Amino acid sequence: MRIPHSTYRLQITAAFDLAAAERVLDYVVGLGADWIYLSPLLTSADGSDHGYDVVDHAAIDPARGGPEGLRLLAAAVADAGRGILVDIVPNHMGVDDPHRNAWWWDLLRFGQDSRYSEAFDVDWAAGDGKILLPALGDAGEGSELDRLEIVGDELHYYDHRFPILPGTADDGADPRTVHSRQHYTLVNWRRADRDLNYRRFFAVNSLAGIRVEVPWVFDESHREIVRWVRDGLVQGIRVDHPDGLADPGGYLDRLRLATDGTYVLVEKILEGDETLPTSWSTRGTTGYDALADVDRILVDPAGRPALDALEKRLQDESPEPGENGRPQTWAELVSERKRGIADGILGSEVRRIARLIPGIPGPEAVDALAELLTAMPVYRSYLPLGFELVDEAARRASDRRPDLAGTIGRLLAVLADPRTPAAVRFQQTSGMVMAKGVEDTAYYRYSRLTSLNEVGADPSEFSIDADTFHARQQARAATFPDSMTTLSTHDTKRGEDVRARITVIAEIPAEWEATLDTLRTNVPLGDGPLENLLWQAVVGSWPASRERLGAYALKAARESGTSTTWNAPDAAFEEKLETLVAAAFDDPAVTAALTDFVERVRQAGWSNSLSAKLVQLTMPGAPDVYQGSELWETSLVDPDNRRPVDYTVRRGILARIDDGWLPPIDETGAAKLLVTSRALRQRRDAPERFFRHAAVPAYGAAAAHLLAFDRGDAVTVATRLPLGLAAQGGWRDTTIVLAGIPVIDVLTGERFAGGTLLVRDLLRRYPVALLVPDQGTGQGIESPIVTGEAGR
């Protein structure tokens, strides 16, 4: 098995296809990346810029470059001595345009007689033998069905096309009559939340779940992917959303056998102290757990009380206050939002589980199941692994709803048995409820410090100390040393450098509160938490265009759902959103307050960015660099984070650095490219230097502002809490102690004698350093040694 020392993520689209990836390969290799990491390649829905809506498993998307594009890219990658990791989507298919998906088209045409009825996860009984398709508008189902037309052997509804079962449409037949004879029923789109009878990806009606646990479905949906591996075109696989599968562990075993044990990562979110099942055939996760650690080591814990108080005040003013008007804690907010999701957009999923529970009346089962799903402390269990978590959820749900305790106990007896269909469905659904309730709702309602509101992270964990950070990295090195680490992905809510700047707020919470009050006074929305969240996003991404900020504000407000929603937009409130964004550019008082605060945190944010980047690239695990993030990554949530990357600019900066230029820390982000390239090259070209993780303690007045660790023959040194450091007068007498051999900082080329080193000398130019043995010494950096003198 080949294992990457690092990866560089490329979003493959029609505008940036496989040929474009080949054209930037020399730059990516020059940057220092070991493998390239490609977004999904199989044929997806027309116009898809992400590729997670696969419509044909048998072919590489022609719009993305087709099979020839992958063949040529793979050859170029092999010639460069590198590898390819590719993202795959086993859980679902795109069905928005049924005629584009041959499996779905056949299912709609022939119903349960279709070969593909076994491939899709449909509850036929719930639809009276038909698939309910939420496609009709709001004029009333009868009136909307009057808009049907027969065109050849298809039913058309506006631009939507559906198949007609042979023999059910006579010449001159009434389209409504023909519709009634099909194996599907078109219904109002709003009925999906309650009545849908096919499994989806989360609450996305256009993504229908498939049953890869069925052997032939796995074989046919993976034949092309397996061919890539066996033909040597790709060397690794990233599995999207394994939590949606009926049996993730079994799936990974089948994938391992089919690909002869190739390198596999899973997109898995771990909660709290949860660990990845060691029984899974995978080398680790895609790195959200590492992202959370890096973010939190840079947060000033002293800022928590003031930011807690600010959040309390804002929640008091929220349009939806907590129970009895009290402000909500994060845990209370998560519970409320998860229950809202279970009752709302995922109600059809909960009702489907209830139909599988014998002996409990439907409404009672639905209520109790919703409470159990709300109380699950992690995304899902993998029975029998994790039964204690389901049991914990049952206790928590019973405490919250004593009136349901008996019903919950009866449910538990069924849900604890992994052989029951209800238990399988419950496990598949609990992750959906968590993701929609937390990532897509609660994250937008909780504004205390929004750099912590990131995929895979728990905003209630405000910060961690160095001991906790080191312990977590040692655990990673001991359990999943080949797991990915990351700071930005196509799914992150804010780019890594947006978060790094927002994190500075924890150092100066009173200044932020005063600035926020000024901004809210000048352009009030009447939704305090949302205003806090939006203004933090503006500060973090500034300068950003009106268009980007406007799109983010609208998405954030609708995801929050407190003042406007996707399904019922509030036009008056959304006009206020437009006014808020415009004020950032046009209102002198707002612009002044905004730019003054940005200037206050800009340099500290850049310091955090460089520290986060070096730490992530050198900590245990295989680091990933998201496309373009070697310069400042100031993207907001998708689709903003899939904007085109200017590789011409990056090539030019890298060439200058390689010619000996040491860039300043400024708005160009060139200093970050320096850090990225030097760290990546060390990981790829000298991997033997990275074989352990040990804390390197600091001594002296500013010791708390340093994070340093020894990877074996490389030592990472990074700055924490830069505003506090400056306020204390800088590093002064702060030191670290290494073995007494010469070392060189690969970022600057500066040489040091080893032994006891003054941090102010190490970090004279940049807030970070990466120390390796000086060339020609023939020695390595030994474990950090603290002498009695240094210890004092």
Side-chain angles (χ1 to χ4, degrees):
M1 178 194 299
R2 288 180 60 185
I3 296 172
H5 299 300
S6 62
T7 59
Y8 187 96
R9 169 84 176 198
L10 293 171
Q11 294 294 117
I12 304 302
T13 66
F16 187 91
D17 60 10
L18 291 164
E22 184 184 355
R23 289 192 293 272
V24 302
L25 176 63
D26 63 325
Y27 164 76
V28 173
V29 172
L31 186 68
D34 190 19
W35 289 16
I36 60 172
Y37 167 21
L38 306 177
S39 61
L41 300 179
L42 293 173
T43 305
S44 59
D46 285 344
S48 171
D49 67 349
H50 50 74
Y52 291 96
D53 43 5
V54 174
V55 297
D56 182 2
H57 288 109
I60 298 174
D61 198 331
R64 287 173 164 77
E68 183 67 3
L70 180 59
R71 186 187 69 80
L72 292 173
L73 174 61
V77 168
D79 287 345
R82 312 273 65 90
I84 295 177
L85 176 73
V86 69
D87 200 342
I88 67 168
V89 191
N91 175 66
H92 54 267
M93 295 186 76
V95 298
D96 194 40
D97 298 316
H99 67 285
R100 294 268 292 136
N101 186 329
W103 289 23
W104 188 250
W105 189 260
D106 194 82
L107 179 73
L108 297 184
R109 185 187 295 273
F110 297 109
Q112 296 178 74
D113 293 329
S114 168
R115 176 174 184 261
Y116 298 101
S117 65
E118 191 178 24
F120 292 97
D121 200 347
V122 180
D123 184 352
W124 294 99
D128 293 327
K130 299 188 177 188
I131 302 174
L132 302 183
L133 299 180
L136 301 180
D138 284 333
E141 290 183 0
S143 298
E144 295 291 350
L145 289 174
D146 287 339
R147 303 177 187 277
L148 289 173
E149 296 181 296
I150 299 174
V151 181
D153 60 351
E154 298 176 357
L155 271 178
H156 285 200
Y157 172 71
Y158 293 104
D159 293 333
H160 299 281
R161 299 163 56 184
F162 304 96
I164 293 176
L165 179 68
T168 60
D170 302 328
D171 290 341
D174 177 7
R176 291 182 55 143
T177 301
V178 173
H179 168 257
S180 69
R181 296 170 178 169
Q182 304 312 306
H183 291 292
Y184 54 86
T185 299
L186 303 181
V187 300
N188 179 262
W189 66 275
R190 296 181 187 274
R191 289 180 59 185
D193 295 352
R194 182 180 179 89
D195 299 330
L196 202 71
N197 65 333
Y198 62 88
R199 180 170 61 87
R200 303 167 286 176
F201 170 75
F202 296 160
V204 183
N205 300 335
S206 59
L207 298 176
I210 60 172
R211 302 178 65 231
V212 291
E213 65 272 18
V214 177
W216 75 261
V217 176
F218 176 90
D219 292 341
E220 293 194 17
S221 62
H222 286 68
R223 184 170 293 129
E224 177 69 2
I225 294 164
V226 170
R227 181 185 71 80
W228 300 342
V229 175
R230 293 188 171 173
D231 289 353
L233 299 175
V234 305
Q235 289 68 47
I237 293 171
R238 180 261 199 196
V239 176
D240 180 68
H241 189 49
D243 278 352
L245 305 178
D247 178 13
Y251 166 80
L252 291 168
D253 285 340
R254 285 190 290 273
L255 186 63
R256 177 181 57 81
L257 290 172
T259 60
D260 300 322
T262 197
Y263 178 75
V264 170
L265 293 173
V266 291
E267 186 221 14
K268 168 62 186 169
I269 292 174
L270 302 169
E271 287 288 309
D273 295 330
E274 183 186 12
T275 58
L276 193 66
T278 55
S279 59
W280 282 10
S281 296
T282 180
R283 305 299 291 197
T285 73
T286 51
Y288 290 120
D289 45 341
L291 178 155
D293 291 345
V294 175
D295 280 354
R296 278 153 183 75
I297 191 60
L298 300 176
V299 174
D300 187 352
R304 180 170 188 163
L307 292 178
D308 280 343
L310 174 59
E311 179 71 6
K312 179 181 185 299
R313 174 163 71 89
L314 297 174
Q315 290 288 354
D316 278 336
E317 301 167 7
S318 172
E320 290 189 7
E323 185 179 356
N324 300 322
R326 293 181 290 103
Q328 297 168 317
T329 65
W330 171 249
E332 290 169 339
L333 178 60
V334 167
S335 181
E336 178 191 88
R337 289 298 88 213
K338 288 179 68 178
R339 179 67 205 228
I341 292 296
D343 291 339
I345 60 175
L346 290 178
S348 58
E349 302 290 343
V350 179
R351 285 171 174 78
R352 181 166 180 182
I353 303 171
R355 292 194 292 270
L356 297 171
I357 304 292
I360 302 177
E364 184 180 341
V366 167
D367 193 8
L369 282 165
E371 281 298 324
L372 270 174
L373 291 164
T374 297
M376 277 293 290
V378 296
Y379 274 67
R380 63 166 286 175
S381 58
Y382 308 94
L383 295 177
L385 185 66
F387 167 72
E388 70 281 0
L389 299 171
V390 182
D391 193 46
E392 177 188 343
R395 291 195 300 271
R396 291 169 57 182
S398 296
D399 288 345
R400 176 180 160 109
R401 290 287 303 279
D403 57 310
L404 289 175
T407 303
I408 290 170
R410 294 161 64 192
L411 286 177
L412 188 61
V414 177
L415 300 180
D417 184 350
R419 298 167 298 179
T420 64
V424 174
R425 294 290 304 179
F426 182 85
Q427 292 177 94
Q428 289 176 287
T429 304
S430 66
M432 299 185 200
V433 173
M434 178 75 87
K436 296 303 295 182
V438 177
E439 296 173 39
D440 293 344
T441 310
Y443 275 175
Y444 291 93
R445 294 191 179 195
Y446 193 70
S447 65
R448 180 179 64 179
L449 188 68
T450 58
S451 57
L452 304 179
N453 297 13
E454 196 46 85
V455 179
D458 180 358
S460 69
E461 183 177 60
F462 189 79
S463 61
I464 59 175
D465 59 22
D467 289 344
T468 301
F469 177 84
H470 293 309
R472 290 181 180 179
Q473 306 330 305
Q474 288 162 350
R476 177 176 289 106
T479 54
F480 289 96
D482 304 319
S483 189
M484 183 176 280
T485 69
T486 192
L487 289 181
S488 295
T489 76
H490 60 287
D491 277 333
T492 42
K493 304 298 184 184
R494 296 160 189 82
E496 60 202 59
D497 300 313
V498 176
R499 300 198 309 276
R501 187 182 290 177
I502 291 172
T503 288
V504 182
I505 289 173
E507 293 200 69
I508 48 171
E511 293 180 45
W512 172 245
E513 183 168 8
T515 299
L516 179 64
D517 285 345
T518 297
L519 296 169
R520 294 182 67 209
T521 298
N522 282 275
V523 274
L525 282 181
D527 187 336
L530 180 62
E531 290 169 85
N532 193 15
L533 180 140
L534 293 178
W535 284 118
Q536 287 185 40
V538 174
V539 166
S541 60
W542 194 262
S545 69
R546 294 172 190 259
E547 292 75 21
R548 290 179 57 213
L549 292 177
Y552 175 77
L554 183 60
K555 180 169 184 173
R558 289 181 175 178
E559 294 281 33
S560 168
T562 52
S563 298
T564 187
T565 66
W566 291 106
N567 291 346
D570 184 315
F573 183 81
E574 293 184 0
E575 284 184 16
K576 291 182 180 180
L577 282 179
E578 294 176 6
T579 300
L580 182 147
V581 172
F585 299 89
D586 302 333
D587 185 314
V590 171
T591 301
L594 172 62
T595 55
D596 284 351
F597 191 82
V598 168
E599 191 58 34
R600 176 77 167 102
V601 299
R602 188 195 308 272
Q603 291 288 341
W606 288 339
S607 176
N608 282 345
S609 290
L610 297 180
S611 291
K613 200 64 176 177
L614 184 62
V615 168
Q616 180 251 331
L617 293 175
T618 57
M619 68 198 287
D624 175 56
V625 175
Y626 185 68
Q627 60 176 29
S629 66
E630 60 272 27
L631 296 184
W632 302 136
E633 169 56 297
T634 58
S635 295
L636 296 166
V637 73
D638 69 285
D640 191 54
N641 55 21
R642 293 196 294 268
R643 288 172 295 142
V645 175
D646 189 336
Y647 285 104
T648 300
V649 168
R650 286 162 176 78
R651 285 180 188 275
I653 293 173
L654 183 59
R656 291 186 64 193
I657 289 171
D658 286 345
D659 283 342
W661 178 51
L662 292 180
I665 304 174
D666 62 13
E667 64 278 353
T668 68
K672 190 182 180 192
L673 197 149
L674 166 71
V675 170
T676 303
S677 63
R678 273 43 189 167
L680 284 177
R681 290 176 186 180
Q682 286 292 315
R683 294 301 301 265
R684 184 188 67 192
D685 301 335
E688 69 281 359
R689 289 179 171 160
F690 300 84
F691 59 84
R692 67 179 173 207
H693 182 100
V696 175
Y699 305 96
H705 292 273
L706 196 76
L707 177 71
F709 51 85
D710 170 12
R711 291 301 319 280
D713 255 357
V715 171
T716 293
V717 182
T719 300
R720 300 176 61 230
L721 318 183
L723 288 183
L725 176 65
Q728 293 177 17
W731 293 111
R732 291 171 287 167
D733 63 345
T734 307
T735 60
I736 60 171
V737 182
L738 305 180
I741 62 169
V743 294
I744 184 171
D745 178 6
V746 299
L747 305 181
T748 64
E750 291 184 88
R751 289 173 161 80
F752 303 92
T756 300
L757 301 176
L758 283 168
V759 174
R760 67 171 185 258
D761 293 338
L762 288 175
L763 305 185
R764 199 168 16 228
R765 182 181 290 268
Y766 298 118
V768 292
L770 179 56
L771 306 175
V772 301
D774 198 351
Q775 292 287 340
T777 65
Q779 301 181 70
I781 300 175
E782 300 172 8
S783 298
I785 299 172
V786 180
T787 67
E789 182 68 27
R792 289 194 294 271

